[in-house]
């Protein structure tokens, strides 16, 4: 699966003019040019910029809460999961088999964690796999014993700030016979239907962000987080 680090271009225009004591006063021409440049910005661009600033501040508050709770070294990525004007945030704390990504989005002007029943993170080995702008993401559950290997894939969509499981596929391969069985939502199926689920969701074309290629957050240093959200 291809990796992609996603960002968002943010434009912030701040104008400040202070005349105090003997400080030189800016010329009228400079002031007029700056005002003209500001007024020339489309209103929608200014509004989007303001909204983006609010979003990153909400996400940064989440990260600061983690730091206050004793988490001092973790990684962050921003993705475009559902093709709206707001990026989602993925937080990683490691890359062991049990480490997935913690998904956050903005709902009703609040940063919330997107969870599913029984799951508060998604993925394995410090990775989060999703279809960009397609509102589909997956969790893989690999289990290996002495006699077989089992691999489950849970397909989720984000709906109203919650992760809703749409389909579950599972393949089980016996080592001794090299025989495989396939299941979709708990029902045994043929390989054609099993593969059709992956094709329908575009599994092979999905993107993956991970702990290793995310922005490292250490000791409350948030500059790179702001840059990651505001830059492509």
């Amino acid at each position: 699966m291809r990796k992609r680090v996603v960002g968002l271009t943010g434009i912030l225009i701040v104008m400040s003019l202070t005349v105090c004591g003997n400080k030189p006063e800016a010329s009228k021409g400079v002031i007029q040019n700056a005002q003209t440049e500001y007024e020339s910005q489309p209103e929608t661009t200014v509004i989007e910029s303001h909204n983006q600033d609010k979003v990153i501040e909400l996400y940064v508050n989440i990260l600061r809460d983690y730091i206050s709770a004793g988490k001092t070294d973790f990684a962050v990525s921003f993705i475009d999961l559902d093709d709206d004007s707001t990026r989602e945030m993925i937080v990683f704390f490691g890359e062991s088999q049990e480490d997935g990504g913690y998904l956050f989005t903005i709902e009703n002007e609040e940063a919330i964690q997107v969870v599913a029943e029984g799951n508060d993170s998604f993925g394995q080995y410090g990775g989060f796999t999703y279809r960009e702008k397609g509102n589909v993401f997956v969790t893989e559950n690999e289990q290996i014993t002495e006699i077989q290997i089992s691999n489950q894939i849970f397909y989720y969509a984000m709906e109203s700030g919650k992760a809703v499981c749409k389909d579950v596929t599972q393949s089980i391969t016996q080592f001794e016979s090299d025989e495989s069985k396939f299941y979709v939502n708990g029902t045994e199926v043929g390989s054609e239907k099993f593969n059709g689920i992956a094709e329908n969701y575009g599994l092979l074309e999905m993107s993956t962000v991970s702990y290793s290629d995310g922005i490292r957050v250490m000791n409350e240093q948030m500059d790179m987080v702001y840059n990651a959200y505001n830059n492509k």
Side-chain angles (χ1 to χ4, degrees), residues 39-159:
E39 290 176 349
S40 68
Q41 296 294 323
E43 183 178 354
T44 54
T45 300
V46 176
I47 293 173
E48 288 177 0
S49 175
H50 175 67
N51 291 339
Q52 291 165 12
D53 292 336
K54 289 177 61 178
V55 168
I56 185 57
E57 286 299 333
L58 291 172
Y59 284 148
V60 165
N61 287 338
I62 295 291
L63 304 181
R64 288 187 175 126
D65 287 342
Y66 277 131
I67 291 172
S68 297
K71 305 285 188 180
T72 57
D73 188 355
F74 48 96
V76 175
S77 290
F78 295 103
I79 67 172
D80 191 353
L81 178 61
D82 55 351
D83 196 21
D84 61 11
S85 60
T86 301
R87 303 284 182 179
E88 280 66 47
M89 179 174 72
I90 315 295
V91 180
F92 301 99
F93 292 102
E95 49 191 347
S96 69
Q97 182 176 1
E98 294 76 19
D99 287 316
Y102 293 81
L103 172 63
F104 294 86
T105 192
I106 303 299
E107 194 77 20
N108 297 323
E109 298 187 350
E110 293 185 359
I112 63 170
Q113 184 178 352
V114 180
V115 299
E117 184 176 355
N119 292 289
D120 58 358
S121 66
F122 305 94
Q124 283 187 312
Y125 299 103
F128 180 91
T129 299
Y130 70 105
R131 192 172 74 197
E132 187 171 358
K133 300 182 180 182
N135 194 23
V136 176
F137 55 101
V138 302
T139 283
E140 296 184 61
N141 181 19
E142 182 183 75
Q143 295 182 346
I144 302 176
T145 67
E146 293 181 354
I147 62 172
Q148 67 181 28
I149 178 172
S150 170
N151 186 49
Q152 281 183 306
I153 299 180
F154 298 80
Y155 293 89
Y156 291 98
M158 185 174 64
E159 298 179 2

